[in-house]
């Protein structure tokens, strides 16, 4: 789902220059927004509750330590791969997301020397690793509380977390009600120049998905099949409809403004949660189907696929750049082809002891 979502980027980025491509990218990209929340929820399923007594330091050393080497390596490798592709393989690419000034030697050097501060465009997927480290830091704290919390207490926390998902929309709507901010700062509910941590800051974000996964893993839905279909299907459809239509509406009022466009695609947005919850609950109901055993080897490669796939999205975009293929076909074919290439590279790296730790 992540690979397919990134396959949409170049098409979404065309906006009104190619309306069909834009609509295709938004339609398919919106359908994939549950990808990252599902990643987070599966992390919680694997890790929580902590299987054995361990100190916070021991947990950090084991879990965060595994992320450091991949983060360093791919922060350096991805910009080099992208620079080589743009300058040596296809400098005449039609991809609107790439530009000559972004792939000079000077720009490459800047990316290679500032990666420790934050990810850059070439290393976009690595934002997840920074976020994952943050979740790992808080897991020992959350895990201790969850072990003693009642079902009612956990449900209350989840309700507050879901309500906090409305925060971006309240912030966006506030000026329409006449709100002018405090000293020019447009934050709400306690946010200001000297305090970026508003009222719901500590009850929002990806940690909520981990708590939700823990809750569903401990108390799975005991609904009948009919109720599952009757509740989860409309919920997913409504979430997708809001995500897709919302992106189009925001584009009308704020054309090309990613700061606003991304709001409807927030992974911690209510509409994306409405898509994530049904998928997780449905897959949980399926349980250990026979096909799952056949996917074990592929599942072991998914982290590496995530880390290395980004440059191949641009390669497959150019390979399939022909008027003979409709944009939707190009997106699906490009995403599938990228997945195959990234899987092959990850498998090869996992077979060599020197590179194994970079993808697993």
């Amino acid at each position: 789902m992540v690979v397919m979502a990134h396959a949409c980027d170049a098409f979404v980025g065309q906006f009104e220059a190619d309306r069909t491509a834009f609509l295709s990218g938004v339609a398919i990209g919106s359908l994939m927004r549950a990808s990252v929340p599902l990643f987070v929820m599966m992390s919680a399923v694997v890790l929580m509750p902590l299987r054995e007594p361990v100190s916070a330091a021991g947990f950090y050393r084991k879990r965060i330590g595994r992320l450091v080497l991949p983060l360093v390596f791919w922060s350096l490798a991805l910009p080099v791969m992208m620079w080589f592709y743009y300058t040596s393989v296809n400098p005449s690419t039609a991809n609107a997301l790439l530009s000559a000034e972004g792939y000079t030697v000077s720009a490459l050097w800047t990316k290679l020397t500032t990666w420790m501060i934050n990810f850059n465009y070439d290393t976009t997927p690595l934002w997840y690793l920074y976020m994952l480290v943050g979740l790992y830091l808080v897991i020992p704290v959350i895990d201790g509380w969850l072990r003693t919390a009642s079902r009612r207490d956990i449900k209350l926390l989840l309700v507050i977390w879901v309500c906090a998902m409305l925060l971006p929309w309240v912030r966006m709507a506030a000026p329409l009600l006449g709100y002018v901010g405090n000293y020019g700062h447009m934050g709400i509910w306690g946010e200001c120049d000297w305090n970026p941590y508003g009222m719901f800051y500590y009850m929002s974000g990806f940690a909520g998905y981990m708590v939700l996964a823990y809750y569903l893993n401990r108390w799975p839905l005991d609904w009948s099949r009919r109720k599952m279909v009757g509740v989860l299907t409309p919920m997913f459809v409504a979430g997708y409809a809001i995500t897709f239509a919302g992106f189009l509406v925001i584009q009308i009022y704020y054309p090309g403004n990613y700061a606003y466009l991304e709001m409807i695609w927030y992974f911690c947005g209510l509409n994306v949660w409405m898509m994530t919850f049904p998928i997780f609950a449905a897959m949980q109901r399926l349980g250990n189907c026979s096909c799952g055993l056949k996917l074990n080897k592929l599942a072991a490669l998914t982290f590496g696929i995530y880390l290395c796939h980004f440059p191949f999205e641009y390669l497959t975009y150019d390979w399939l750049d022909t008027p003979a293929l409709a944009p939707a076909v190009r997106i699906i074919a490009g995403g599938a082809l990228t997945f195959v290439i990234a899987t092959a590279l990850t498998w090869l790296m996992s077979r060599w002891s020197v590179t194994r730790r970079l993808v697993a």
Side-chain angles (χ1 to χ4, degrees), residues 38-320:
L38 289 172
F39 253 132
V40 175
M41 293 182 73
M42 288 310 303
S43 294
V45 169
V46 171
L47 296 176
M48 298 166 58
L50 297 178
R51 300 296 189 266
E52 55 191 36
V54 62
S55 66
F59 179 82
Y60 296 157
R61 184 168 55 251
K62 180 179 180 181
R63 291 295 169 179
I64 298 178
R66 291 183 59 188
L67 299 180
V68 173
L69 191 58
L71 177 61
V72 173
F73 176 80
W74 292 107
S75 292
L76 300 175
L78 292 178
V80 172
M81 293 167 69
M82 292 285 284
W83 175 82
F84 178 78
Y85 178 73
Y86 185 84
T87 59
S88 302
V89 178
N90 194 6
S92 60
T93 177
N95 194 318
L97 299 180
L98 303 182
S99 59
E101 59 269 20
Y103 294 95
T104 62
V105 173
S106 175
L108 174 63
W109 178 250
T110 298
K111 294 171 184 176
L112 296 179
T113 54
T114 60
W115 66 267
M116 68 289 294
I117 300 174
N118 204 353
F119 67 94
N120 53 65
Y121 179 77
D122 295 346
T123 60
T124 294
L126 300 187
W127 76 269
Y128 181 81
L129 269 65
Y130 294 97
M131 183 271 289
L132 192 59
V133 168
L135 290 179
Y136 283 171
L137 288 174
V138 79
I139 279 180
V141 179
I142 295 177
D143 183 79
W145 178 76
L146 289 175
R147 288 176 182 272
T148 59
S150 67
R151 183 175 184 177
R152 183 179 180 181
D153 286 341
I154 298 175
K155 287 177 68 174
L156 176 60
L157 183 143
L158 289 173
V159 169
I160 298 173
W161 170 64
V162 170
C163 291
M165 292 180 177
L166 297 173
L167 193 62
W169 301 105
V170 175
R171 187 180 291 111
M172 186 178 185
L176 302 178
L177 302 176
Y179 177 64
V180 295
N182 287 308
Y183 308 102
H185 191 285
M186 294 302 291
I188 60 174
W189 293 332
E191 298 172 349
C192 55
D193 287 334
W194 60 88
N195 176 44
Y197 311 107
M199 181 169 63
F200 282 105
Y201 179 87
Y202 305 101
M203 299 295 288
S204 59
F206 286 97
Y209 279 116
M210 302 198 81
V211 176
L212 177 62
Y214 174 90
Y215 178 88
L216 291 175
N217 205 31
R218 185 172 177 183
W219 295 289
L221 297 180
D222 57 356
W223 299 349
S224 65
R225 182 185 297 271
R226 182 175 182 179
K227 184 176 180 180
M228 289 281 288
V229 174
V231 174
L232 298 183
T233 302
M235 185 178 183
F236 179 87
V237 172
Y240 173 69
I242 295 171
T243 306
F244 176 51
F247 198 99
L248 300 183
V249 171
I250 294 176
Q251 168 61 12
I252 293 174
Y253 291 98
Y254 302 95
N257 188 328
Y258 282 106
Y260 283 113
L261 288 170
E262 289 288 351
M263 287 179 62
I264 197 66
W265 274 5
Y266 276 174
F267 295 117
C268 293
L270 184 61
N271 49 300
V272 174
W273 172 82
M274 292 170 65
M275 299 169 64
T276 304
F277 181 86
I279 294 176
F280 184 91
M283 296 303 295
Q284 187 180 34
R285 174 60 65 90
L286 289 177
N288 295 321
C289 59
S290 59
C291 62
L293 299 176
K294 300 175 182 178
L295 293 175
N296 279 350
K297 292 183 179 180
L298 179 60
L301 302 176
T302 52
F303 184 57
I305 293 170
Y306 180 90
L307 292 172
C308 75
H309 77 276
F310 201 59
F312 303 123
E313 300 280 12
Y314 297 88
L315 178 68
T316 57
Y317 177 89
D318 290 327
W319 279 356
L320 300 171

Side-chain angles (χ1 to χ4, degrees), residues 2-11 313 317 330-332 334-336 338:
V2 171
V3 172
M4 197 64 69
H6 285 152
C8 298
D9 290 349
F11 295 84
E313 300 280 12
Y317 177 89
R330 287 183 60 192
I331 291 172
I332 296 172
T338 297

